Amino acid sequence: MQSLLLDFLNVTESAAIAALPWIGSGDKIAADGAATNVMRDTFNQMNMNGTVVIGEGEIDEAPMLFIGEKLGLGNGPEVDIAVDPIEGTTPTVNGQRNAITVIAAAPKGTLLHAPDMYMEKLVVGPKARGKVNIELPLLDNMKAVAQANGKKMKELNIYIQDRPRHQEYIETIRAAGAKVHLFHDGDVIYATATCMENADVDMFIGIGGAPEGVLGAVAVKCLGGEMQARLKPRNDEEIERCLQMGLPETKLVLNHQQLISSDDCVFTATGVTDNLLLNGIRTEHRNHITQSILINGKERKLRYIESRHTIHSKV
């Protein structure tokens, strides 16, 4: 995996630049298509034998990278890939905050292989690792996190996606005196931020996409935090898809090791628009300037990388 670090960074940078013309455009399909096509093309220049194990679904409905898709030149290491060409397509095309291009990768057989479906997630930073249990009441976990982080309940900052399905969580948090921070998009961003002390995110909870859950799980593992999850199938078809992928108990709690079982994992994200982690793309003097994070689980090292990409004139 070490030999592929800069290649993975190139994938997210290239996809972010491809999305740039679509910021504020209102055209989600075009934005997704531009980022996905460039991401696929860039992956396919890499010396690896990659497989998308969790992404946009099992059927090849272009332009999405789909579950089971093979990526790379077919030589080099065998790699599991989780991908979201644009995490935050809606804010991208609305010219809003919280859009990134993001991938996670690990050796073959070490990332969760699951359908594109809903997943319940609980994420905490390094100080609270080992102190929470997704099967316990939320209030119990809040008390454990407050104690681990050396805070009073009223000082606790809990981030949750602004969706009607989370109303019970929101009421519980506020009734306990803790602070609710609602966001509309950016699941992976806020899961990762639990492990960054300067972000002051004590806990991330909620029900969202399984691909975003696995992406976040890799970032959190690399940074020493903890994620627990539970798949939430909505119908018999999703249950059947879980069975076909070797997940016989679809409501089984997934610990962090089941989401990502190797320390030799990589997470990289590039800002499309400004967000809690990264600046969005800027254009200065015929250069696109990108800001990215590259996290290596083996080294437990977080790198912030700013790159200048020369804009080539079209003939």
Side-chain angles (χ1 to χ4, degrees):
M1 300 298 295
Q2 292 284 101
S3 65
L4 298 174
L5 288 176
L6 292 180
D7 290 322
F8 287 129
L9 174 65
N10 186 41
V11 172
T12 59
E13 287 180 338
S14 299
I17 292 169
L20 178 61
W22 304 103
I23 294 175
S25 69
D27 193 337
K28 291 177 66 175
I29 293 175
D32 265 332
T36 301
N37 290 337
V38 167
M39 188 171 272
R40 176 180 284 119
D41 291 344
T42 310
F43 267 130
N44 284 333
Q45 297 170 34
M46 291 176 59
N47 289 312
M48 68 170 186
N49 185 355
T51 303
V52 178
V53 296
I54 190 160
E56 297 294 339
E58 297 167 277
I59 55 175
D60 186 6
E61 293 183 353
M64 297 300 175
L65 290 158
F66 60 94
I67 295 174
E69 181 168 355
K70 299 296 182 181
L71 298 169
L73 294 171
N75 53 22
E78 293 186 295
V79 178
D80 284 351
I81 297 169
V83 59
D84 196 344
I86 303 180
E87 155 76 330
T89 310
T90 298
T92 296
V93 301
N94 287 338
Q96 298 169 329
R97 291 175 55 87
N98 284 359
I100 58 175
T101 57
V102 57
I103 58 175
K108 181 181 179 180
T110 61
L111 279 185
L112 176 71
H113 181 43
D116 180 11
M117 61 186 297
Y118 277 121
M119 174 186 278
E120 182 182 1
K121 309 157 198 177
L122 168 63
V123 189
V124 295
K127 291 179 181 178
R129 185 178 63 186
K131 310 292 186 183
V132 296
N133 185 338
I134 199 171
E135 295 188 279
L136 292 177
L138 174 57
L139 184 58
D140 289 356
N141 285 317
M142 291 168 58
K143 291 176 180 177
V145 172
Q147 183 176 7
N149 289 355
K151 288 187 171 186
K152 298 176 182 177
M153 185 65 72
K154 67 180 180 180
E155 298 171 326
L156 211 60
N157 294 307
I158 301 178
Y159 281 68
I160 185 166
Q161 195 172 23
D162 188 5
R163 296 290 188 271
R165 60 180 176 268
H166 294 144
Q167 191 57 39
E168 186 175 342
Y169 292 150
I170 293 167
E171 291 172 0
T172 298
I173 295 165
R174 287 177 172 161
K179 296 181 177 68
V180 173
H181 298 265
L182 296 174
F183 64 92
H184 198 269
D185 296 278
D187 194 313
V188 178
I189 294 167
Y190 293 99
T192 304
T194 61
C195 300
M196 298 180 173
E197 198 160 337
N198 62 339
D200 201 21
V201 179
D202 296 295
M203 182 190 294
F204 163 75
I205 59 168
I207 298 170
E212 291 83 359
V214 174
L215 286 160
V218 173
V220 170
K221 186 178 185 69
C222 289
L223 294 172
E226 182 178 5
M227 176 185 285
Q228 296 176 19
R230 183 161 38 200
L231 291 172
K232 307 285 284 187
R234 293 172 293 178
N235 50 47
D236 290 342
E237 180 184 353
E238 290 190 349
I239 292 173
E240 180 60 29
R241 289 174 66 201
C242 288
L243 293 171
Q244 291 172 357
M245 291 186 178
L247 295 164
E249 296 184 51
T250 54
K251 294 186 179 179
L252 181 71
V253 170
L254 300 168
N255 62 37
H256 210 161
Q257 188 72 3
Q258 290 168 300
L259 295 166
I260 165 63
S261 61
S262 173
D263 288 330
D264 192 15
C265 50
V266 176
F267 174 93
T268 183
T270 300
V272 177
T273 61
D274 291 348
N275 56 80
L276 187 63
L277 302 181
L278 295 163
N279 294 326
I281 301 175
R282 308 192 313 275
T283 302
E284 295 179 3
H285 308 299
R286 301 193 58 75
N287 288 285
H288 294 315
I289 302 170
T290 58
Q291 189 177 64
S292 306
I293 51 174
L294 178 61
I295 314 175
N296 177 0
K298 205 165 187 178
E299 295 179 334
R300 289 284 174 92
K301 186 175 288 186
L302 165 63
R303 296 177 173 91
Y304 282 90
I305 299 169
E306 184 171 284
S307 302
R308 290 179 176 267
H309 310 261
T310 301
I311 303 171
H312 297 287
S313 300
K314 293 183 179 180
V315 179

